[in-house]
């Protein structure tokens, strides 16, 4: 799924850096991760890293997102609820993957006291996903499957926020059944 | 709003401890907070603190929740949407209060790597609020204002999760307009 890179040496270095960031983060936690440590383990100069990424959070996010790229593609079978279920179920699986969930929670935790990490999380993780979901929802508005008078961004939030809520607040496990409930209640409405 | 305490000296000590926890947390951040430091500043023995609270997170949570008690009461005017709007708006104000929002985000961040804090956040902050909201929603089910076939807990999540989502992911500000959007979409449904 990575786009072809004309410079294979650069691509090899890039992959080594991403791999080093993931390994070091697993060994030392996000707080212990440094640009120096990543450069040393990847066998590249620190300047190479700084040329490509502004921060350790940006590297780790790129590494995570590249490995989780299958959760990004948004299907379009013509049935918007089925497509949302497919994509949200991938997020449920990611949130139940111990490594992915530990990295995600660590980054979001770090984002609470570091605005640079917060911005990187939004730019790298949240925004690309929201944009693709919005695109799919706009098609659903055109086909009449979704109310035309609403802002798709608000719908994305309604659908995905409960998954993040359980991931971060630990109230209940994130499950496929939760996805069905969210879709059922959101599409039909809860009014009596 | 505090319940009367027969032992005024205990109540004075309790208040001193809560105040000390809040002040120290502001000065040193949550990570720098210790039971020893709180005891010293409150002028009580460490054993007194351990008799009442299992952890620094529990103290800070009690202090925060006591000061935020007005967001807990759930109105019942007979109009469930209006009552939810009233209560959710109080949460919006709390999330926009710099001190309250910094403490909340710090505790939720700490909860990501500390299961004891995670449990304290659920027990002290989340569960009492969810329970009161569920109670109000059950009345709405009896009066026919909310679908009888749904689990009120799921509705609480749908309504409140988007507020936490913006607080923790920093995608957009938490606003009163967001509350209107959430209520409108959730009650009416988004299907075309």
């Amino acid at each position: 799924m990575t786009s072809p890179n004309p410079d294979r040496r650069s691509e090899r270095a890039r992959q080594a850096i991403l791999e080093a960031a993931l390994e070091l983060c697993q060994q030392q936690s996000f707080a212990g991760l440094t640009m120096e440590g990543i450069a040393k383990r990847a066998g590249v100069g620190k300047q190479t890293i700084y040329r490509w990424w502004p921060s350790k959070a940006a590297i780790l996010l790129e590494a995570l997102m590249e490995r989780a790229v299958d959760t990004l593609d948004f299907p379009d079978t013509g049935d918007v609820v089925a497509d949302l279920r497919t994509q949200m179920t991938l997020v449920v699986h990611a949130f139940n993957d111990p490594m992915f969930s530990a990295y995600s929670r660590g980054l979001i935790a770090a984002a609470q006291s570091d605005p640079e990490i917060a911005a990187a999380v939004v730019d790298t993780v949240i925004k690309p996903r929201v944009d693709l979901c919005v695109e799919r929802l706009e098609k659903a508005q055109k086909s009449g499957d979704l109310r035309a008078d609403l802002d798709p961004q608000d719908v994305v939030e309604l659908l995905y926020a409960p998954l993040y809520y359980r991931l971060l607040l630990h109230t209940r496990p994130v499950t496929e059944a939760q996805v069905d409930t969210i879709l059922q209640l959101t599409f039909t409405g809860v009014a009596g």
Side-chain angles (χ1 to χ4, degrees), chain A:
Chain A
M1 289 299 294
T2 23
S3 48
N5 193 316
D7 188 340
R8 283 195 194 174
R9 271 190 313 178
S10 286
E11 179 56 20
R12 267 206 304 273
R14 197 180 72 86
Q15 287 297 340
I17 292 162
L18 298 183
E19 207 51 56
L22 285 172
E23 287 168 9
L24 288 172
C25 186
Q26 246 181 319
Q27 284 169 21
Q28 305 168 0
S29 90
F30 180 77
L33 200 62
T34 63
M35 292 296 238
E36 289 78 1
I38 297 170
K40 201 175 157 198
R41 190 180 187 98
V44 303
K46 225 171 68 174
Q47 285 319 307
T48 305
I49 298 194
Y50 276 112
R51 210 179 327 132
W52 292 338
W53 295 279
S55 66
K56 63 177 187 175
I59 302 176
L60 191 63
L61 281 163
E62 186 168 325
L64 274 177
M65 289 308 106
E66 207 159 281
R67 277 144 191 80
V69 72
D70 52 359
T71 68
L72 192 62
D73 291 332
F74 223 99
D76 181 4
T77 64
D79 178 344
V80 68
V81 175
D83 293 346
L84 288 166
R85 182 178 295 113
T86 301
Q87 212 281 347
M88 290 167 75
T89 301
L90 291 174
V91 175
V92 169
H93 293 168
F95 283 1
N96 279 290
D97 175 289
M99 195 193 87
F100 186 87
S101 120
Y103 286 144
S104 305
R105 292 167 52 197
L107 280 164
I108 294 171
Q112 303 315 313
S113 53
D114 185 332
E116 188 198 86
I117 296 177
V121 168
V122 171
D123 293 346
T124 317
V125 184
I126 309 295
K127 204 176 167 304
R129 283 163 175 70
V130 169
D131 288 351
L132 284 173
C133 189
V134 162
E135 232 176 75
R136 180 67 190 86
L137 293 177
E138 282 169 350
K139 282 189 214 161
Q141 287 182 307
K142 286 199 188 100
S143 64
D145 298 312
L146 189 75
R147 273 168 49 190
D149 65 331
L150 45 75
D151 181 341
Q153 277 216 59
D154 295 329
V155 180
V156 177
E157 242 180 34
L158 269 196
L159 297 172
Y160 285 86
L163 302 177
Y164 283 92
Y165 178 90
R166 291 197 191 175
L167 174 77
L168 298 171
L169 296 181
H170 315 275
T171 48
R172 292 194 269 176
V174 183
T175 62
E176 294 190 26
Q178 188 193 1
V179 170
D180 286 325
T181 304
I182 294 168
L183 286 169
Q184 213 281 322
L185 296 183
T186 306
F187 270 78
T188 320
V190 303

